[in-house]
Amino acid sequence: MSQYCSVLLLCAPYSALTYSLPASLPSEMWREGVRVIVPLGRSLRVGVIVGTDVPEPEGCACRDVVWPVDLEPFFSPAYLDFIRDLSVRQMDAPGRILARVLPSALREVPSFRSRDGRIVPLGELDGSGDRVGLAAAWLDGGFSPVVAQRRTERLYSLTSEPPWAVRPQATAQLDVLRYLDVHGVSSSKALAGHFGKSVAQVLATLARKGLVREVESAFEIADVCASGPVRLTLTPEQERAVGGFWGLLQADAPESALLFGVTGSGKTAVYMELARRALCAGRHVMLLAPEVAIALKLFEDVRSALPEAPVRLFHGYLAAGERLRTFAELAGRTEPCIVVGTRSSLFLPLEPGLVILDEEHDASFKQDEGLVYQARELAYGRISRSGGLLLMGSATPDVKVFHAARSGGIAVESLSNRIGESRLPEVTLVDLRSEPPEHGPFATSVRDALVATIRAGEQAIILHNRRGYAPVLYCESCDTPLKCPHCQVSLTLHKRRELLLCHYCGYTLLFPLSCPSCKGHEFLPLGAGTERLEEFLRDELPQDTRILRLDRDTARRAGSMQDTLSAFARQEAQVLVGTQMLSKGHHFPNVTLVVVVDGDLGLNLPDYRATERSFQMLVQVAGRAGRGDKPGRVLIQTRNPGHYCWQYIRDNDYEGFFDREIALRRAMGYPPFVKLALVRISLPTDQPEGELLASFGGRIRALGAASGVRVLGPAPAPLAVLRGRKRFQCLLKADSWPAIRGVCAEMRKTLRTEKNVRMSVDLDPVDML
C-alpha cells in the first residue's frame, strides 16, 4: 500500500503538494523537516516534508519523491510550525516565506558524491539504479549532497572618500567610484547588472590604483582586546536581575521579560551572565542588536566575557557563502551555542532557549520591506515553541512593552544606578528663541561649552539627525528648490561628493550644475546636515581639534564605521559628529559633553509615535555623556521649549513620560489599546487615481464596518510620491488581528485585477510616512 507525504515547495507555486513515497525505500528516510527532491512539471525542485502519512488525494495520481537532501531533518517541527504561524500573520504562503529566509543554495537541487569522490547521478536515485543498495549506502553516510560550486561573489569597497585621483576623462572609472560612494559595498553581480560585464576591467584598474579593494564583508570583526578575558563582577542590582530572569528561564512555560535599566547601568553584564547559565543548562542563546555595529560590539563582549563559549555572528551583510555555512552548521545542532546578530538571526534553524533583544525599542528591529515583520514578535514565536525566555533590554522601552510590564503581562527587573562612580548627566535646554544661533547652528553658550570641553582635554558628541551638506538646494533665479523627479522631495546636497542625492530612491545629479528648470547657476544651500556641520566646526574650533563624522555616508566604506568608533574610543579625536547612529550602544568614558543641534527634529512628524521616538533618541544620546569618572553635560537646542517631553528628558524620567504618553494614546485610540495596520496603495504618477480611490475607499470601509474594523482614509501619504509612484494609505483600527487580516485579504483579492496598482499591509507599523 502506497504512503504519501506533504511537501512544501521552496519555489513557485510555493504550495504544499502531496507526493507518494517510493515503496522500495525505507521509511526512516522520510521524516518531517527533511528537504527532498521532487518532480514538478518537467523539472526537479527542492521542497520540505511537512507531513507524513497523509491521506491519498482523490481523483489524481501522485508522483514519487525522488530522494532526500538531508540525512537528518534540517528543520524541526517547532521551526516549521513557526513558519506556518508567520505565514498566517503575513497572509502569504509558508513556502514563499521559507524561500525568502533561506540562502539560495539550500533551495537548489544538489549533486551527490560518494566518500571516494564519485558523483552519484540523479538518474540512479530516480529509479534506474539499485535503489535499495543506494538507500543503505545513504543511511550509512556512503554518499551525501554537495552544494553546487559557484564562483564566489566578490564584494568591492572604496578605500577613500572623494575627491579621487582620476582623470576627468576617465568617465567609466568615475561612474563606478560614484556608484560605490552612493551604494556602499557592492557585489560584482550588482555592479555588472548596472554597468555591464565590462565593469570587471574598470574594477581591476581601480584596484591597481588603490581606489577600490575587494572585501569579505561591509563590516570587519575586530580582534578581542589584548587584555584577555574579562571577569564578570555583578553589582547587587545586577545579581537581583539575573536571579529573577534565571527563575523565568527555568520555568516550564515560555516567558517574556523586560530589563529596564538607565544608560550605563550594565545591562550587557546581565546578558553575559544569563547567557553563561543558559549554555551550562544546554540551551541555545540568541543575543540580538538593532544594528550591525552594536552586534559587532556585543560579539566582542561575548568573546571577552565567555571565551570558551561557541559563538557565531550572523547579519544581513555577511557574504552569501558565510550565511550558507552558518545556516547549514546550525541546522539540527545539539551542542549549545550563542548566536550574536541582527533581526534576521531569528530565522536560523536552531531552537533557542534564551533570546535577548538589546535596545528593544529601536525601530530597526522592524523589517519594513519584502517580508515585513517585527523582531519582538518573531522572537516570542521562537521562544513559545522552545519553552524559553525572551528578554528585552532598554533604558527607554517601547511604550507597548512597558505597558505590558506595568499591567503584569511580562516580568520586569530594573537597574536604576550607573556602574561605578559615573552619574547621569545634567540636561539643559537652550532656547533658540531667546538665544539665537550666532555661531553657525550653535548658540553662544553651546559654542563656548564645546570649546571649554576641548581645552579641558575631554571629548564631545554632537548629534544632528540629518546627513549631507544641505537638505535643500534653492535656485535663486527661479525661486524653486531642486527636487527628485521620481519622488518629488528635495535633493540633498553632498558637497564633498559633488552630487545631489535623493535619500529615498538614490537618484543623483552631479554638482555644480545648471538649474533643470531655468538653467540658472546661482544656488543657495538651505539648512545644514552633518557634513556642513563638520565643515563649520573645523573652521570654528581650535586649529588642532580633530573631528570625526559618523553617518550613513561615512559608513559606506568597508570597516569605516568600526574605524571611526575605535578611533574616538582611543581618544584620537575630540569631537564626534553624527546622526542617530551614534546615539546608542556606545561607551566613551571621556565624553563629558553631548550637544543636540536641533532637538525639535522629528517631534512634529505625522506619526503617533513621533514624540516617543524623539524622547528615546534624545535620552539615549544623552546617556553617552558622563560614563567615566567625570560628570557629563547635555545641551539640547530647541525652538519649542514648552513641549511636554522636555521635562521628562531633563529629569531622565521615563516613567513620567510613559504615564503622559499612555494617557494620550488611550484617549486617541492608538496602540496598545487597539490593533493598528497601515494599508498602502500606489500607482504610476501618470495614472488617474480618482475612480480607483473612490472604489477602494468604499469597498474597504464597507468591509471594515461588517468586521468591526474602523477605517481611516484613503488619503495621500505624507510622502505622496516615491520612486515614480503616487502613494495613498489607510489606517485600520480594531480589537483583533484576525478582523484586520480578513479585511486586508479581501482588498487584495479586489485589487488583483487592477493593472499597475500595488497594495501592501504593515501590521503594527513603526513608520507612518
Side-chain angles (χ1 to χ4, degrees), residues 674-675 707-709 733-741:
V674 297
K675 310 299 183 187
S707 305
V709 177
K733 295 182 177 182
D735 293 329
S736 69
W737 288 122
I740 289 177
R741 283 196 291 265

Side-chain angles (χ1 to χ4, degrees), residues 154-224:
R154 296 179 175 180
L155 298 176
Y156 291 92
S157 170
L158 293 175
T159 59
S160 63
E161 294 183 0
W164 303 290
V166 176
R167 292 180 296 106
Q169 297 84 352
T171 55
Q173 295 178 34
L174 286 170
D175 287 344
V176 172
L177 290 170
R178 291 189 183 111
Y179 181 93
L180 291 172
D181 192 29
V182 171
H183 295 88
V185 176
S186 302
S187 67
S188 52
K189 181 179 179 181
L191 289 163
H194 188 81
F195 294 104
K197 294 182 179 179
S198 61
V199 74
Q201 294 178 334
V202 179
L203 288 168
T205 301
L206 292 172
R208 286 196 300 271
K209 292 181 176 181
L211 299 174
V212 166
R213 66 186 177 105
E214 190 175 335
V215 298
E216 294 184 1
S217 172
F219 295 89
E220 299 171 348
I221 301 174
D223 293 330
V224 178

Side-chain angles (χ1 to χ4, degrees), residues 318-609:
L318 289 177
E322 185 62 27
R323 292 199 301 272
L324 172 62
R325 283 191 292 273
T326 304
F327 252 90
E329 178 189 347
L330 296 181
R333 181 187 174 104
T334 56
E335 180 189 358
C337 70
I338 302 178
V339 173
V340 180
T342 53
R343 63 189 180 223
S344 59
S345 303
L346 289 165
F347 291 105
L348 291 170
L350 51 74
E351 297 307 314
L354 172 64
V355 176
I356 300 171
L357 300 184
D358 187 30
E359 309 290 359
E360 66 81 22
H361 66 275
D362 197 282
S364 295
F365 273 126
K366 177 71 178 287
Q367 167 75 26
D368 281 326
E369 296 181 353
L371 177 61
V372 178
Y373 64 87
Q374 168 59 258
R376 183 169 57 241
E377 294 170 0
L378 260 64
Y380 187 75
R382 300 302 310 272
I383 286 298
S384 65
R385 289 163 175 82
S386 61
L389 172 65
L390 165 60
L391 175 60
M392 298 167 281
S394 178
T396 55
D398 184 284
V399 165
K400 297 188 293 293
V401 171
F402 200 74
H403 180 263
R406 274 277 191 92
S407 59
I410 64 174
V412 61
E413 296 284 349
S414 298
L415 302 176
S416 56
N417 299 302
R418 280 189 158 185
I419 296 296
E421 299 300 319
S422 66
R423 295 292 180 265
L424 288 169
E426 174 190 354
V427 179
T428 303
L429 292 183
V430 179
D431 186 351
L432 294 180
R433 298 174 306 174
S434 59
E435 189 182 352
E438 296 179 346
H439 302 271
F442 299 110
T444 299
S445 62
V446 175
R447 184 260 185 193
D448 291 346
L450 185 57
V451 171
T453 298
I454 294 168
R455 286 176 175 166
E458 298 163 359
Q459 292 176 293
I461 286 177
I462 301 177
L463 172 73
H464 188 46
N465 203 26
R466 180 172 280 167
R467 63 190 176 102
Y469 187 84
V472 178
L473 193 65
Y474 186 80
C475 175
E476 295 187 287
S477 300
C478 61
D479 297 333
T480 57
L482 272 63
K483 291 188 174 182
C484 172
H486 310 297
C487 301
Q488 292 304 302
V489 297
S490 295
L491 293 169
T492 298
L493 172 62
H494 292 257
K495 182 179 177 181
R496 187 171 181 180
R497 299 158 78 185
E498 297 182 337
L499 57 81
L500 293 164
L501 173 64
C502 174
H503 288 169
Y504 292 94
C505 73
Y507 174 80
T508 59
L509 287 174
L510 296 181
F511 184 82
L513 79 168
S514 301
C515 175
S517 299
C518 70
K519 307 305 178 184
H521 294 85
E522 298 296 326
F523 297 98
L524 177 66
L526 300 178
T530 50
E531 182 186 2
R532 192 173 190 177
L533 189 58
E534 179 190 19
E535 179 182 271
F536 170 81
L537 290 171
R538 292 191 187 283
D539 295 333
E540 182 77 7
L541 297 179
Q543 189 172 5
D544 57 348
T545 303
R546 187 178 177 198
I547 301 166
L548 296 174
R549 175 161 59 96
L550 182 64
D551 55 29
R552 188 177 295 182
D553 300 323
T554 61
R556 292 195 182 279
R557 289 179 290 111
S560 59
M561 180 186 294
Q562 299 96 303
D563 291 344
T564 300
L565 293 172
S566 297
F568 192 67
R570 294 191 300 267
Q571 302 181 33
E572 296 174 6
Q574 293 75 50
V575 179
L576 177 60
V577 179
T579 58
Q580 63 179 345
M581 294 173 67
L582 52 74
S583 67
K584 52 191 175 292
H586 308 302
H587 179 69
F588 305 118
N590 198 44
V591 169
T592 59
L593 177 66
V594 167
V595 173
V596 179
V597 175
D598 188 348
D600 304 326
L601 272 180
L603 270 180
N604 300 309
L605 292 175
D607 187 333
Y608 79 97
R609 297 182 69 242

Side-chain angles (χ1 to χ4, degrees), residues 85-92 97 371-373 741 748:
D85 263 12
L86 183 58
S87 74
V88 171
R89 177 173 174 78
Q90 300 299 325
M91 297 172 285
D92 204 349
I97 288 178
L371 177 61
V372 178
Y373 64 87
R741 283 196 291 265
R748 277 184 172 170

Side-chain angles (χ1 to χ4, degrees), residues 36-54:
V36 292
I37 301 171
V38 294
L40 183 67
R42 297 181 179 180
S43 61
L44 296 177
R45 294 289 187 267
V46 170
V48 180
I49 294 180
V50 292
T52 56
D53 295 325
V54 302

